[in-house]
Amino acid sequence: MPDERKNDRYGLRRDPAGWTVYVIWTTEPAIVGGVAQTGLSEDDARHMAGLLNTQSRRGDSSMRRS
């Protein structure tokens, strides 16, 4: 596993409607703009998780769930 992935905050998992981007520590779906990131295509979920993890590694907390 690449070193940067050891600190990922977001992961992917299958759901009944597609894929979910979730917060690894809580297992809750990630919320972006008030919308749970569930039922996504695999490509969209991978892209969103990548964006969220990049922002998280940079210390941007604007996308964190309150």
Side-chain angles (χ1 to χ4, degrees), residues 1-64:
M1 173 183 296
D3 285 339
E4 67 184 22
R5 299 252 349 248
K6 292 178 184 176
N7 296 319
D8 279 356
R9 179 181 173 93
Y10 301 93
L12 304 174
R13 66 176 174 231
R14 297 255 303 118
D15 67 39
W19 290 83
T20 292
V21 178
Y22 70 98
V23 181
I24 292 171
W25 302 318
T26 66
T27 71
E28 295 292 320
I31 307 294
V32 176
V35 178
Q37 299 301 293
T38 61
L40 304 173
S41 71
E42 184 176 2
D43 286 341
D44 287 346
R46 287 189 186 284
H47 180 74
M48 181 58 71
L51 290 173
L52 292 171
N53 282 319
T54 296
Q55 290 300 107
S56 179
R57 282 192 291 274
R58 290 181 181 160
D60 182 351
S61 63
S62 65
M63 293 188 184
R64 290 187 184 161

